[in-house]
Amino acid sequence: MKTYIFLPPVKKPTGGITVLRQLADILHQNGHEAFLVPREAGGWRPEGLADAAPIVEWNALQMTSSDLWLVPEGWVNALVPGMEAGALCFSYVQNWAYLFSSLPEGVDWHHLPVEFLAVSDPVSRFIKESTFKDAPILRPGIDRTIFYPPQKRDNGTIKVAYMPRKNKAMAEQIMAIFEHRAGLGAVTWVPLEGLDAHGVADALRACHIFLATGFPEGCPLPPLEALACGCLPVGFTGFGGWDYMRQIQEEPRYTPWVHLREVNWAGNGFWCADGDALDAALCLEEAVSLIKNEDLYLLAAFEAGQETANAYSLAEQKRAILNLWDQL
């Protein structure tokens, strides 16, 4: 069985594209015939990787009924070559919000010969409830040689990292509420933009808190990377974040309706409902207080963060991928 993985046309790699690339590379490096298929000739493709999965150009793609064709959600039309070849077709759902967005008029998942893979437990549950289909889970992995905590952090002004590209207006509203309550200069805001993975990791290690403003999300990587770098995360879960996010608060103001899977770690952040700017600001106040007072809960939260990050290592991602492909 050959595995072909579709790469959508993008100007620069996103977290979802990186996960697709990792999937192909892991299969290729472990004896599976795996190929990346970019939609546009000369479009974005992985570079500088040792033993990376080979590229097959879109126009040269030739599949058979014994092959596997994997396409990320949101690109339903890209499933056509696999369906025409009678290949085993999978939609890899990395964000639940796009599962139905690209279905052509008159087409539904009930009548397409397509199976699902999910990036997290909440996404798998979303797929099951909305399509009645099971979706095995393939979680992303983060490189722990890049994302790791600092040996020592400056205990001066508390620094709060955030990503302006994740709902910028919402982030600004949260910051405005926080500053109005706590006063200007209570914290230093650190925008994360225009940085590669190493730059993001260095910036996170220099910060105390990460403000998560992204939603919807399938299994959000930025808060996970922040946990790995020793930050205390605060903010939105995007629904998919509940795969690993657990409340520090003993009596949280917000609890999800979906059943949370059992995990080995305790509370790792202050989490609020998506879009609730006021609660996000209040959670941020609690996080700042925890750090300023060097509360005992802070050490427990830090340890929980490291346990969380370890569960999403590249080694864990590799194990899950190879186990699933052995079953296929």
Side-chain angles (χ1 to χ4, degrees):
M1 181 181 72
K2 295 179 180 178
T3 297
Y4 296 92
I5 299 175
F6 175 71
L7 281 183
V10 295
K11 294 182 180 179
K12 60 181 180 179
T14 61
I17 294 292
T18 298
V19 171
L20 295 175
R21 187 201 69 196
Q22 289 173 327
L23 172 57
D25 291 345
I26 287 170
L27 291 171
H28 169 70
Q29 293 162 6
N30 288 275
H32 293 269
E33 290 188 273
F35 307 87
L36 289 168
V37 185
R39 180 61 184 89
E40 295 180 352
W44 180 87
R45 63 184 64 195
E47 297 178 353
L49 296 171
D51 197 20
I55 298 289
V56 173
E57 298 294 347
W58 178 264
N59 293 334
L61 179 61
Q62 293 183 339
M63 280 183 286
T64 70
S65 59
S66 62
D67 296 330
L68 186 152
W69 178 229
L70 186 145
V71 175
E73 97 295 321
W75 298 88
V76 176
N77 288 340
L79 288 163
V80 172
M83 291 190 289
E84 289 180 340
L88 178 59
C89 296
F90 277 98
S91 175
Y92 186 18
V93 184
Q94 295 176 289
N95 195 326
W96 56 271
Y98 305 132
L99 180 59
F100 294 93
S101 65
S102 65
L103 281 173
E105 186 175 354
V107 176
D108 62 55
W109 289 116
H110 293 302
H111 299 94
L112 292 178
V114 178
E115 302 298 323
F116 293 109
L117 295 177
V119 75
S120 67
D121 184 64
V123 171
S124 181
R125 290 170 183 268
F126 180 90
I127 294 169
K128 182 66 173 180
E129 293 294 336
S130 58
T131 70
F132 307 112
K133 286 190 174 184
D134 293 323
I137 299 168
L138 280 184
R139 295 181 172 87
I142 58 173
D143 191 338
R144 295 291 270 133
T145 67
I146 298 175
F147 297 99
Y148 57 86
Q151 292 184 345
K152 186 179 181 180
R153 183 178 277 120
D154 181 12
N155 290 325
T157 302
I158 293 176
K159 296 180 179 179
V160 180
Y162 72 101
M163 300 184 73
R165 71 179 180 87
K166 295 282 188 177
N167 298 316
K168 183 179 180 181
M170 181 64 68
E172 291 175 346
Q173 187 177 37
I174 295 168
M175 291 188 286
I177 295 171
F178 175 85
E179 289 181 341
H180 217 69
R181 287 173 56 87
L184 293 173
V187 301
T188 297
W189 307 104
V190 180
L192 304 180
E193 51 188 348
L195 302 172
D196 62 11
H198 292 275
V200 169
D202 288 339
L204 287 171
R205 275 189 289 273
C207 292
H208 303 81
I209 294 172
F210 177 77
L211 176 61
T213 56
F215 69 91
E217 299 279 1
C219 188
L221 289 173
L224 190 57
E225 293 166 350
L227 283 167
C229 291
C231 288
L232 184 58
V234 171
F236 307 146
T237 71
F239 182 66
W242 287 118
D243 195 68
Y244 64 84
M245 296 174 179
R246 296 296 182 269
Q247 290 281 22
I248 289 176
Q249 299 159 324
E250 292 185 354
E251 297 182 2
R253 287 182 292 275
Y254 171 66
T255 56
W257 66 266
V258 67
H259 174 75
L260 301 183
R261 69 188 180 103
E262 292 292 327
V263 295
N264 295 325
W265 52 89
N268 54 19
F270 291 92
W271 309 109
C272 58
D274 294 345
D276 191 339
L278 177 56
D279 194 22
L282 296 177
C283 285
L284 188 55
E285 282 187 10
E286 291 181 66
V288 169
S289 175
L290 205 65
I291 292 170
K292 283 184 175 180
N293 297 326
E294 298 183 355
D295 194 290
L296 291 177
Y297 281 108
L298 185 61
L299 178 58
F302 174 79
E303 291 176 349
Q306 294 306 298
E307 291 175 11
T308 306
N310 289 338
Y312 290 78
S313 67
L314 294 180
E316 288 296 320
Q317 182 189 31
K318 174 182 175 180
R319 179 191 59 76
I321 289 171
L322 296 180
N323 283 346
L324 178 58
W325 254 250
D326 284 345
Q327 294 174 33
L328 295 174

